[in-house]
Amino acid sequence: MRTPRRAARVVILSPTGSVFLFRENNVEVGIHWLPPGGGIDPGESPEETVVRELREETGWTDLAPQRLLCTWEHDFTHEGVPVRQHEHIYVTSGPARPPKKKEKGRGTWRWLDRPALAALTEPTWPPGLPALLAAPADRGPVDLGLVG
């Protein structure tokens, strides 16, 4: 049995098209790359979550979500609890810069250009991130459903 959890993340694109991601290792799913974000607090919208999580994880306070890229669900273990997480993934643009701070326990970070992102051998959250980013912005958000 998995505990339902809601989360929101934001893919940050630099002016040159590089993507800011964290590299993490989860006890259940292993090493993966993911954008900043996290669990939605009670009474909080997904957009508010993205702004809060960016501040907590990077120290950046000048970015906000611009458009919804996709939604998806996946299973993993969060702080020792098996969860089924439903995520909203947003996109925004911002300068390529190091975080002002890094949240304790957060994995290593990197700005990846599009070829480096496409060449990753470790999974991305959401899956297929290079293809999602390459699709026309006017097609609207994609619902990837349950991926696992």
Side-chain angles (χ1 to χ4, degrees):
M1 189 71 175
R2 296 204 174 254
T3 302
R5 184 171 192 258
R6 295 179 56 229
R9 301 190 177 282
V10 63
V11 176
I12 304 161
L13 299 175
S14 77
T16 62
S18 294
V19 179
F20 180 84
L21 297 175
F22 289 108
R23 183 178 186 261
E24 296 198 347
N25 190 0
N26 179 269
V27 66
E28 184 174 353
V29 299
I31 295 173
H32 58 284
W33 292 85
L34 72 165
I40 298 173
D41 288 342
E44 193 175 51
S45 72
E47 295 87 354
E48 291 167 332
T49 299
V50 164
V51 171
R52 176 182 51 77
E53 289 285 342
L54 272 173
R55 183 183 69 249
E56 291 174 2
E57 294 180 358
T58 66
W60 299 333
T61 59
D62 58 343
L63 301 178
Q66 294 172 337
R67 69 178 173 93
L68 183 62
L69 179 66
C70 70
T71 58
W72 74 302
E73 289 188 23
H74 59 108
D75 296 339
F76 76 109
T77 299
H78 176 71
E79 298 178 353
V81 177
V83 299
R84 173 156 294 166
Q85 183 156 287
H86 180 270
E87 289 190 4
H88 290 76
I89 308 294
Y90 292 91
V91 175
T92 196
S93 55
R97 61 188 170 186
K100 289 182 179 179
K101 67 172 196 162
K102 194 175 111 187
E103 184 177 51
K104 186 178 178 182
R106 183 48 94 185
T108 58
W109 61 270
R110 198 167 291 149
W111 284 96
L112 299 165
D113 63 22
R114 296 298 176 98
L117 179 63
L120 286 176
T121 57
E122 298 155 340
T124 60
W125 286 10
L129 184 57
L132 288 166
L133 292 172
D138 62 358
R139 66 130 202 241
V142 174
D143 181 4
L144 301 175
L146 178 60
V147 178

